Amino acid sequence: MLNEQMRLSLRKRLGEAYFRDDRETLVSYSYDATPMLQSMPDGVVFPRDTEDVAFVLKLANEHRVPIIGRGAGTNLCGGTVPVEGGIVMVMNRMNKLLEIDTDNLTATFQPGLNTKEFHLAVEAQGLFYPPDPSSMVISTLGGNIMECAGGLRGLKYGTTKDYVIGLEAVLPSGEVIRTGGKLYKDVAGYDLTKLLVGSEGTLAIITEATVKLVAAPVYKQTMLALYTDIHAAARSVSSIIRHRIVPATLEFIDNPTLRVVEAYNKLGLPTDMEAVLLIEQDGVDESVVAKDMEEMIRLCREEGAASVQMARDADEAERLMKARRSALSTLSRIRPTTILEDATVPRSKIADMVLEINRIAKKYELQICTFGHAGDGNLHPTCTTDARDAEEIHRVEQAFEEIFEAAIGFGGTITGEHGVGTVKAPFLEWKVGEAGIALMRSLKLAFDPNNIMNPGKIFAKSSRKRVVVNR
Amino acid sequence: MLNEQMRLSLRKRLGEAYFRDDRETLVSYSYDATPMLQSMPDGVVFPRDTEDVAFVLKLANEHRVPIIGRGAGTNLCGGTVPVEGGIVMVMNRMNKLLEIDTDNLTATFQPGLNTKEFHLAVEAQGLFYPPDPSSMVISTLGGNIMECAGGLRGLKYGTTKDYVIGLEAVLPSGEVIRTGGKLYKDVAGYDLTKLLVGSEGTLAIITEATVKLVAAPVYKQTMLALYTDIHAAARSVSSIIRHRIVPATLEFIDNPTLRVVEAYNKLGLPTDMEAVLLIEQDGVDESVVAKDMEEMIRLCREEGAASVQMARDADEAERLMKARRSALSTLSRIRPTTILEDATVPRSKIADMVLEINRIAKKYELQICTFGHAGDGNLHPTCTTDARDAEEIHRVEQAFEEIFEAAIGFGGTITGEHGVGTVKAPFLEWKVGEAGIALMRSLKLAFDPNNIMNPGKIFAKSSRKRVVVNR
């Protein structure tokens, strides 16, 4: 797909080290964190600056060669797998934190910047950038923006989309656009900024971003509520919300997840519980945080929690949060393949959804552990399986189809924070309808008339038929 | 432009009362709140439901007749003036509040619902919908969504865009799409919801919306800081932000505005002050609100406020806020024509921008009063003039060109919350560039290939050349 002339041209522009087409490099960029998905690129580029990006895009566009932008490849939807070959564009050289502006409470950076590194730099100034995907130690901000990453603090603080206010982006033509700025309000034309956030590399390559920052919460308290009844846990979530408390974190962990997490982390959690809520409140005022915690303890007890306990100290709180964040990696130790999904429902439907997931798991004789962000209805049903067992994988696929179907039925969506990628493309029509797909396709063409930007993502060659679920 | 067959067809579908083409009705819908702009429509329709909207759009699309969606017509950018004729679609019959969901903290309504009425209904449930454009007593939520209305609470709570999470919309083809839902997280494909918010009726007609609600603040305090030095006022704004306090309202009023507001409202404000900051903090905890207010009083004094005073009681606070909200209507009593703009800058540039506006006003011998949302850099330079005086109006136009130029120069934008409409279309290129305009045009075509949706808005026939400003 890459002819000799293109290779020469890329090598000349970027240098030997930054255009690679040796087999080892190609293999390294043929997969990402998504299980069971691999496809070889034809070349890999490492641009140094916006001009490099524009050069490569223009050339690729002229030759109709796919461009797959990539940060750390931690996504779970196959978003950075070069399913149609082409050039993987790795943004890790463009990783500068350009500015933290304490007067305007904004930060400006290049897309390759590591998420956790950015958090630490911002927090050192007494400021706070809330989006905290579980992969944040490895992930890049550019990847977070392209997938609209969420995390554990979404309920109170929102997701990546709520923070990005300005972008520099290179169109497939090589033209550079700038959207928004250090502006909390800007209605000059269509909101290209929010359109690019979550566009999964299918529209443009972003080369710089400006985000809003908020005041860092100074106080934080953590508690665990344990339940023998999953409904009581779900009722507690609703009750907290109904009482107008917005905790920073409101995580749900079901029994299968609990058992695995406990087995590997030895936190002393009682593994006979059906559900656990891990709740954190933060704020700039200690008494308000304390009052919220007291009220939430009362509400959890009222709804039938078997036990509610506060983390004794910051260390214990940190261990609990770490255990929760490590749920995916812990689960992945059980069996060879771990498939984590993120069906999302209105938060009043969490109990219904978890029970439905359990029913489906039983029907297909699978182990599905469910944990996730209960406060915003974003659940992560996670199947531990074995990719080598074709028959079992077929059942896994059927189960997830039913899970997506159920989420849609509850007024939910097929993906809350992971993106569509290749993995969920066949199901997108269930959520947005035929007219929605057609419209999105035409928006894609407006940006990318030759379909070179991450082709094969978001849009499926054919949509999956909806299963008739026998309930 | 409307042939007899179309008139018959519309009359038959909608009924005599709801398709109008009599002269009186046409004149009534030939203008909106924007000064010096009028253009006759060919017909006016009042749809009852989504099916009516789809019927009219499909018919108009087949006949290539412009459709201008309209709420209460309170916009200030010419957004609802039928500059190319066609059919004005008035949404006031579709004004139902469909649901307030206290479990999911969402509300769902039709676009014709009055903003203030909605606020009251939500607040009766102990909930809160923050966007509060100054026109909210008259405006509709559909209009607020199409223009992405802001208001006085934007700094702390964001604008309309931050609240809309689901839409039903009719495309020009008559197809109905649904975006988002009661979901705090949804990344299934491109974010059509946020793209439609602020699209000024140029892409689709929205027929239903779902918004997030938040807990109602229970406590509120209001203060006034008076300054003999405009820089001291601007420094106070920066200092408050830098000290990580986010007040609910942080409004700026300059001396000319102050004098006019005082003359008509008799609030006892000292009219020799150069600038006033009107500051409000709210919250669910009384002590936190009180602490923030104390700290802000201290900071304003520290930066050189001549006087800082708390509103004695809720009544006085309400009178102050009302005076601020009435600034536009008060200013409009001075001279026959009032032109209010909304150039917006990063908030650290407020003092520079106000001084620049004053310089420009002096240069062109005009009276320009400036007030606005200092906390988010959104200023409203307002010129009192006379549309009958062509020579003066020419100077007004030149002055506003320079004001936009200055805003862009400070890293700002030509419109923070009013929209582009017809009024600012010639200046859009200054903000988004040639490539940005081309991209936006192609997005418009993706929705509306026949250009029937509110034509003549956002995109100008030709862009204004940038003035070379002599500073």
Side-chain angles (χ1 to χ4, degrees):
Chain A
M1 188 177 266
L2 281 184
N3 63 31
E4 208 42 51
Q5 183 206 338
M6 263 191 93
R7 285 176 210 264
L8 270 173
S9 171
L10 289 168
R11 197 164 272 129
K12 191 171 161 212
R13 165 85 194 197
L14 300 162
E16 283 292 336
Y18 302 120
F19 167 72
R20 305 289 291 273
D21 54 1
D22 56 293
R23 181 145 182 95
E24 199 183 323
T25 304
L26 298 184
V27 169
S28 301
Y29 291 97
S30 65
Y31 60 91
D32 57 24
T34 318
M36 302 189 296
L37 197 65
Q38 191 170 16
S39 179
M40 292 290 273
D42 298 291
V44 182
V45 295
F46 303 83
R48 189 185 54 183
D49 51 25
T50 303
E51 290 67 39
D52 273 358
V53 173
F55 176 87
V56 177
L57 260 63
K58 193 160 181 287
L59 189 72
N61 199 35
E62 280 162 13
H63 291 82
R64 311 288 190 260
V65 173
I67 291 285
I68 300 91
R70 180 179 171 122
T74 54
N75 78 85
L76 296 164
C77 64
T80 47
V81 176
V83 290
E84 302 188 8
I87 299 169
V88 173
M89 181 177 275
V90 185
M91 304 305 284
N92 63 359
R93 291 173 76 202
M94 294 178 65
N95 63 350
K96 283 184 206 62
L97 173 54
L98 300 170
E99 185 193 35
I100 294 177
D101 179 338
T102 53
D103 277 337
N104 289 303
L105 299 193
T106 60
T108 301
F109 49 76
Q110 292 183 315
L113 182 61
N114 171 257
T115 310
K116 182 74 186 177
E117 198 183 317
F118 178 60
H119 279 180
L120 294 175
V122 164
E123 285 159 24
Q125 304 272 339
L127 292 166
F128 191 48
Y129 176 71
D132 61 338
S134 291
S135 60
M136 66 186 179
V137 176
I138 315 167
S139 73
T140 67
L141 290 163
N144 295 172
I145 291 170
M146 280 294 104
E147 300 293 327
C148 188
L152 275 65
R153 303 170 187 147
L155 169 60
K156 182 170 185 173
Y157 291 103
T159 66
T160 302
K161 185 178 313 191
D162 300 303
Y163 291 88
V164 182
I165 55 176
L167 290 171
E168 179 186 80
V170 184
L171 303 178
S173 61
E175 283 172 303
V176 180
I177 58 168
R178 293 195 76 97
T179 72
K182 288 183 186 177
L183 295 165
Y184 276 50
K185 284 175 166 176
D186 179 16
V187 292
Y190 304 136
D191 193 338
L192 300 178
T193 310
K194 307 280 185 215
L195 184 59
L196 285 167
V197 176
S199 63
E200 306 190 15
T202 62
L203 303 179
I205 295 286
I206 58 163
T207 45
E208 194 185 298
T210 298
V211 297
K212 286 199 274 195
L213 302 174
V214 296
V218 187
Y219 303 97
K220 187 154 79 174
Q221 289 191 3
T222 307
M223 66 183 253
L224 268 186
L226 308 170
Y227 296 85
T228 53
D229 171 13
I230 203 166
H231 282 287
R235 283 199 311 269
S236 300
V237 172
S238 293
S239 176
I240 289 168
I241 305 288
R242 208 179 316 110
H243 282 79
R244 318 280 185 254
I245 302 172
V246 185
T249 294
L250 181 43
E251 291 290 303
F252 170 90
I253 298 168
D254 77 350
N255 174 274
T257 312
L258 175 65
R259 277 188 282 124
V260 176
V261 165
E262 178 58 25
Y264 285 89
N265 291 283
K266 310 281 183 225
L267 294 159
L269 301 174
T271 53
D272 57 339
M273 290 291 158
E274 273 309 303
V276 176
L277 292 181
L278 173 60
I279 306 176
E280 214 171 55
Q281 182 58 305
D282 63 11
V284 290
D285 188 278
E286 193 167 14
S287 67
V288 174
V289 173
K291 208 168 78 179
D292 280 356
M293 292 304 279
E294 276 163 38
E295 179 73 355
M296 288 192 284
I297 290 171
R298 190 180 71 72
L299 295 172
C300 290
R301 290 207 172 115
E302 197 173 280
E303 296 298 344
S307 136
V308 187
Q309 56 195 72
M310 296 276 291
R312 276 184 301 271
D313 50 33
D315 261 13
E316 193 184 46
E318 185 53 33
R319 274 203 308 283
L320 289 170
M321 290 302 285
K322 217 169 158 180
R324 159 59 191 89
R325 283 189 198 278
S326 69
L328 171 59
S329 55
T330 307
L331 288 171
S332 69
R333 299 192 210 172
I334 308 180
R335 296 191 62 203
T337 309
T338 311
I339 301 178
L340 180 148
E341 274 305 341
D342 76 327
T344 300
V345 291
R347 55 190 161 205
S348 61
K349 302 292 185 192
I350 289 165
D352 296 337
M353 187 66 202
V354 172
L355 291 173
E356 187 62 14
I357 292 169
N358 291 349
R359 189 193 65 74
I360 294 167
K362 205 169 160 191
K363 175 177 167 188
Y364 290 103
E365 296 171 26
L366 295 167
Q367 180 172 31
I368 300 184
C369 303
T370 300
F371 57 93
H373 320 303
D376 38 40
N378 183 195
L379 293 170
H380 292 308
T382 303
C383 188
T384 52
T385 179
D386 188 340
R388 295 162 302 186
D389 182 343
E391 185 277 326
E392 181 170 324
I393 290 297
H394 181 63
R395 281 183 280 126
V396 172
E397 285 170 354
Q398 287 179 301
F400 275 116
E401 280 203 28
E402 281 198 33
I403 288 171
F404 298 148
E405 173 99 24
I408 300 271
F410 289 129
T413 185
I414 56 170
T415 173
E417 58 181 12
H418 290 171
V420 176
T422 30
V423 171
K424 267 177 278 194
F427 304 101
L428 182 62
E429 194 180 313
W430 296 5
K431 169 66 183 144
V432 306
E434 214 177 305
I437 292 262
L439 184 58
M440 287 182 188
R441 272 190 197 277
S442 66
L443 295 179
K444 156 87 170 159
L445 281 178
F447 275 84
D448 177 26
N450 299 318
N451 194 30
I452 66 158
M453 301 304 294
N454 210 3
K457 309 302 160 66
I458 299 184
F459 306 105
K461 291 217 161 52
S462 67
S463 288
R464 202 65 65 97
K465 291 279 167 287
R466 281 186 82 159
V467 188
V468 179
V469 184
N470 298 311
R471 285 196 184 129
Chain B
M1 186 177 270
L2 281 184
N3 63 32
E4 208 41 53
Q5 184 205 339
M6 264 192 93
R7 285 177 209 266
L8 270 173
S9 172
L10 289 167
R11 197 164 269 129
K12 191 172 160 211
R13 165 84 194 199
L14 300 163
E16 282 292 337
Y18 302 120
F19 167 72
R20 305 290 292 273
D21 54 2
D22 56 294
R23 183 146 181 94
E24 199 183 324
T25 304
L26 297 185
V27 169
S28 300
Y29 291 97
S30 65
Y31 60 93
D32 58 24
T34 318
M36 301 190 296
L37 198 64
Q38 190 170 16
S39 179
M40 291 291 274
D42 298 291
V44 183
V45 296
F46 303 83
R48 189 185 54 184
D49 52 25
T50 303
E51 289 67 40
D52 274 358
V53 173
F55 176 87
V56 177
L57 259 62
K58 193 160 181 286
L59 189 72
N61 199 35
E62 280 162 12
H63 291 81
R64 310 289 191 260
V65 173
I67 290 285
I68 299 90
R70 180 180 170 121
T74 54
N75 78 86
L76 296 165
C77 63
T80 48
V81 175
V83 290
E84 300 187 10
I87 299 169
V88 173
M89 181 178 275
V90 185
M91 304 306 284
N92 62 359
R93 290 173 77 201
M94 294 179 66
N95 63 350
K96 284 184 205 61
L97 173 54
L98 300 169
E99 184 193 35
I100 294 176
D101 179 338
T102 54
D103 277 337
N104 288 303
L105 300 193
T106 60
T108 301
F109 49 76
Q110 293 182 317
L113 183 60
N114 171 257
T115 311
K116 183 73 185 177
E117 197 182 318
F118 177 60
H119 279 179
L120 293 175
V122 164
E123 285 160 23
Q125 305 273 338
L127 292 166
F128 191 47
Y129 176 71
D132 61 338
S134 291
S135 59
M136 68 186 177
V137 176
I138 316 168
S139 73
T140 66
L141 290 163
N144 293 171
I145 291 171
M146 281 294 104
E147 301 292 326
C148 188
L152 275 65
R153 304 172 187 144
L155 169 60
K156 181 170 186 173
Y157 291 102
T159 66
T160 302
K161 185 178 314 191
D162 299 303
Y163 291 88
V164 182
I165 55 175
L167 289 172
E168 179 186 80
V170 184
L171 303 178
S173 61
E175 283 173 302
V176 179
I177 58 168
R178 294 194 75 96
T179 72
K182 287 183 187 176
L183 295 164
Y184 276 49
K185 284 175 166 176
D186 178 17
V187 292
Y190 303 136
D191 194 338
L192 300 178
T193 310
K194 307 279 185 216
L195 184 59
L196 285 167
V197 177
S199 63
E200 307 190 15
T202 62
L203 303 179
I205 296 286
I206 58 162
T207 46
E208 195 184 298
T210 298
V211 296
K212 287 199 273 194
L213 302 174
V214 296
V218 186
Y219 302 97
K220 188 154 79 174
Q221 289 191 4
T222 307
M223 64 182 254
L224 268 187
L226 308 170
Y227 297 85
T228 52
D229 171 12
I230 204 166
H231 282 286
R235 282 197 313 267
S236 300
V237 172
S238 293
S239 176
I240 290 168
I241 304 288
R242 207 179 318 110
H243 282 79
R244 317 282 185 251
I245 302 172
V246 184
T249 294
L250 180 44
E251 292 289 304
F252 171 89
I253 298 167
D254 77 350
N255 175 275
T257 313
L258 175 65
R259 276 188 281 124
V260 176
V261 166
E262 178 58 25
Y264 285 91
N265 290 282
K266 311 279 182 226
L267 294 159
L269 301 173
T271 52
D272 56 341
M273 290 292 157
E274 272 310 303
V276 176
L277 292 180
L278 173 61
I279 306 176
E280 213 171 56
Q281 182 57 305
D282 63 11
V284 291
D285 189 278
E286 193 168 13
S287 67
V288 174
V289 173
K291 208 169 78 179
D292 280 355
M293 292 303 280
E294 275 163 37
E295 179 74 353
M296 288 192 285
I297 289 172
R298 190 181 70 75
L299 295 172
C300 290
R301 290 208 172 114
E302 197 174 279
E303 295 298 346
S307 134
V308 187
Q309 55 196 71
M310 297 276 292
R312 275 184 301 271
D313 49 33
D315 261 13
E316 193 183 46
E318 184 53 34
R319 274 203 309 281
L320 289 170
M321 290 302 285
K322 217 170 157 179
R324 160 60 191 89
R325 282 187 199 281
S326 69
L328 171 58
S329 56
T330 306
L331 287 172
S332 70
R333 299 191 210 171
I334 308 180
R335 296 191 62 202
T337 310
T338 312
I339 302 177
L340 181 147
E341 274 305 340
D342 75 328
T344 299
V345 291
R347 55 189 162 208
S348 61
K349 301 293 185 192
I350 290 166
D352 295 337
M353 187 66 202
V354 171
L355 291 173
E356 187 62 15
I357 292 168
N358 292 348
R359 189 194 65 75
I360 294 166
K362 204 169 162 192
K363 174 176 168 187
Y364 290 103
E365 295 170 28
L366 295 167
Q367 180 172 32
I368 301 183
C369 303
T370 300
F371 57 93
H373 320 305
D376 38 40
N378 183 194
L379 292 171
H380 292 308
T382 303
C383 187
T384 53
T385 179
D386 187 340
R388 296 162 302 188
D389 182 343
E391 184 278 326
E392 181 169 328
I393 291 297
H394 180 63
R395 281 184 281 127
V396 172
E397 285 170 355
Q398 287 178 302
F400 275 115
E401 280 202 27
E402 280 198 33
I403 287 172
F404 298 147
E405 173 99 23
I408 301 271
F410 289 129
T413 185
I414 56 169
T415 172
E417 57 180 12
H418 289 172
V420 177
T422 30
V423 171
K424 267 176 278 194
F427 305 100
L428 182 62
E429 194 179 313
W430 295 5
K431 169 65 183 143
V432 306
E434 213 177 307
I437 293 261
L439 184 58
M440 287 182 188
R441 272 189 197 276
S442 66
L443 296 179
K444 156 89 172 159
L445 280 178
F447 275 84
D448 177 25
N450 299 319
N451 195 29
I452 66 158
M453 301 304 294
N454 210 3
K457 309 302 160 66
I458 299 184
F459 306 105
K461 290 215 164 53
S462 68
S463 287
R464 203 64 66 99
K465 290 281 167 286
R466 281 187 81 160
V467 188
V468 179
V469 184
N470 299 311
R471 284 194 185 128

